[in-house]
Amino acid sequence: MLRAIELWRGRIELVAPFRTSFGVDTARDLLYVRAVGDGHSGWGECVAGVEPNYSSEYLENCIGVVSKFLVPCLHPDSTAESFIASVSSIRGNFMSKACVEAALLDLRLREQNVSLAKYLGATKTRVASGVSVGIQNSLDDLVGVVGEYLEQGYLRIKLKIEPGNDIELVRVIRREFGDTLLLQVDANAAYTVDDAPHLKKLDAFNLLLIEQPLPEDDLFGHVRLARAIQTPVCLDESITSLDTARSAIELQACSIINIKPGRVGGYLEAKKIHDLCFDRGIPVWCGGMLETGIGRAANLALAALPGFTLPGDTSASARYFARDVTEPFVLEDGHIAVPDKIGIGVEPLPDMLEKFEKFAEFRTT
Ligand code: NPQ
Ligand code: MG
């Protein structure tokens, strides 16, 4: 039985500032949902940032949505599936729904002695790991940082770009590290369709993909851009559901999709998008939202599904944190092991939890 929902918050420093086209972060503010049962409990991590700049969702708002609208939908016998069905009339708020769903999934799978990977249909025991590289202060710094990641074994590099920091970054990294490096870029919606002639210059560099070049709402802009350039267009922010994924594929707004469970309202919806893409021959990869081990563990289970054919942003814990909230995920030969214990397979380390605050508790009965 689901007895209670607890909300926990905390903050951990990043090992280095992470700069994207929408801002710089030096720390990760954390919100966790804990689903308390009889004997077992489950954890879910909210991926929202402090500010509504990656998307419209933000952490304080998620706390309000979870407390005021999602928790009241829960009952002692709620499952992840019944919860998602019961909140279908609540619009948007994907990241809020996802963290509650994740906690419930972890609880229920622990009760059933099943790992999340097995439950989702994983076919791999380890996943190829890529790394997302923030915008640096100089080209020399960028070359240094990318060189370090390659030395650690990362199998794919993703460069964050923005107007004024784009073609030259790619040119320098290609020149330094060669033509066989798996390389892609992510604009986080920083361009407009009028930049198509400029972005066409990326065609010379044989990139795996360009991720979310245009604003979230501009699906037709992506259709036009995809026709104008050779670099495959991949969508991140635009894909908020199975329906938007289907629309984007049908319209040919993208030929690759970045799946992030937090952005699409949870692991169940993420699996549906995977299944659709697998059926349509659309490659997918698992994105990242600077998750600690709680979110990272669950993402690895998802990334072990067969359609995840491109390396994800599922990096090692050390990419972001000096000490992770769980036992750290480590890179081995460019891969990270998929957790095989019950539920998400990990839990917060007691001394890390001590630094966090349980600030709300709701009984389900
Ligand atoms: C992306 N992630 O793929 C995101 C962007 C991103 C690993 O590149 C706080 C919360 C900070 C969410 C920074 C990566 C964030 C964040 C970047 C998301 O577009
Ligand atoms: Mg992205």
Side-chain angles (χ1 to χ4, degrees):
M1 296 298 241
L2 174 69
R3 299 299 178 189
I5 291 287
E6 300 172 358
L7 302 185
W8 290 72
R9 66 179 145 204
R11 179 182 169 89
I12 47 174
E13 299 298 312
L14 299 177
V15 291
F18 187 50
R19 181 174 155 208
T20 64
S21 64
F22 61 75
V24 189
D25 280 291
T26 58
R28 192 74 174 93
D29 286 84
L30 304 165
L31 169 65
Y32 296 113
V33 175
R34 181 171 180 233
V36 184
D38 302 313
H40 289 286
S41 70
W43 288 91
E45 176 170 353
C46 183
V47 301
V50 170
E51 294 175 63
N53 44 21
Y54 165 81
S55 74
S56 64
E57 298 188 74
Y58 65 99
L59 212 59
E60 281 299 316
N61 202 241
C62 291
I63 292 171
V65 171
V66 169
S67 307
K68 194 165 178 207
F69 298 109
L70 302 183
V71 167
C73 293
L74 293 170
H75 306 283
D77 56 356
S78 291
T79 62
E81 290 82 357
S82 75
F83 164 71
I84 287 300
S86 72
V87 297
S88 65
S89 61
I90 296 169
R91 305 297 169 203
N93 294 290
F94 310 100
M95 295 175 182
S96 298
K97 291 178 183 176
C99 62
V100 174
E101 185 215 71
L104 273 170
L105 265 178
D106 189 26
L107 170 64
R108 295 307 187 201
L109 291 172
R110 282 171 192 270
E111 290 172 347
Q112 294 161 36
N113 234 334
V114 176
S115 71
L116 180 60
K118 180 164 187 192
Y119 169 79
L120 291 174
T123 55
K124 294 175 263 185
T125 56
R126 59 176 207 164
V127 300
S129 189
V131 61
S132 177
V133 183
I135 297 165
Q136 306 293 314
N137 292 326
S138 71
L139 290 172
D140 281 351
D141 286 358
L142 182 67
V143 168
V145 170
V146 169
E148 282 174 32
Y149 289 137
L150 292 176
E151 230 158 81
Q152 291 165 26
Y154 285 105
L155 298 172
R156 182 228 68 192
I157 298 293
K158 160 167 139 183
L159 303 178
K160 290 291 191 177
I161 60 168
E162 64 183 0
N165 278 310
D166 45 28
I167 315 297
E168 216 41 44
L169 308 195
V170 174
R171 189 193 312 282
V172 166
I173 294 305
R174 266 282 176 249
R175 192 207 295 146
E176 275 314 302
F177 301 103
D179 293 336
T180 58
L181 171 67
L182 298 182
L183 185 63
Q184 64 193 53
V185 293
D186 186 358
N188 287 112
Y191 296 87
T192 72
V193 74
D194 296 337
D195 294 313
H198 177 70
L199 293 172
K200 191 160 177 55
K201 296 177 195 158
L202 291 171
D203 285 357
F205 302 103
N206 188 224
L207 299 178
L208 284 169
L209 58 90
I210 178 170
E211 182 178 345
Q212 197 68 42
L214 313 181
E216 180 180 330
D217 292 342
D218 194 6
L219 265 198
F220 186 55
H222 285 99
V223 174
R224 291 201 285 159
L225 180 68
R227 286 178 189 157
I229 67 176
Q230 263 143 42
T231 308
V233 172
C234 170
L235 290 175
D236 174 355
E237 287 92 322
S238 293
I239 307 299
T240 54
S241 64
L242 178 64
D243 287 335
T244 52
R246 194 186 291 108
S247 296
I249 293 167
E250 290 289 335
L251 291 166
Q252 295 183 282
C254 65
S255 51
I256 300 173
I257 289 178
N258 166 340
I259 300 183
K260 290 176 178 169
R263 193 197 62 223
V264 303
Y267 289 85
L268 301 177
E269 189 81 358
K271 180 177 165 54
K272 288 182 191 167
I273 295 172
H274 161 274
D275 293 351
L276 169 76
C277 291
F278 195 58
D279 189 53
R280 303 288 175 91
I282 299 288
V284 303
W285 54 283
C286 185
M289 293 290 281
L290 284 56
E291 292 92 344
T292 66
I294 299 296
R296 196 163 295 275
N299 286 350
L300 287 163
L302 179 73
L305 270 62
F308 286 80
T309 53
L310 291 167
D313 281 344
T314 44
S315 308
S317 297
R319 156 68 184 86
Y320 295 108
F321 315 114
R323 187 146 186 274
D324 203 338
V325 171
T326 62
E327 290 294 342
F329 287 94
V330 295
L331 206 57
E332 284 171 285
D333 203 16
H335 293 72
I336 300 186
V338 177
D340 56 4
K341 299 204 186 79
I342 59 172
I344 61 171
V346 296
E347 40 239 72
L349 296 167
D351 69 304
M352 291 301 285
L353 210 49
E354 259 171 45
K355 296 180 202 157
F356 299 160
E357 179 201 2
K358 180 170 85 173
F359 67 95
E361 183 168 6
F362 308 90
R363 307 292 305 178
T364 52
T365 37

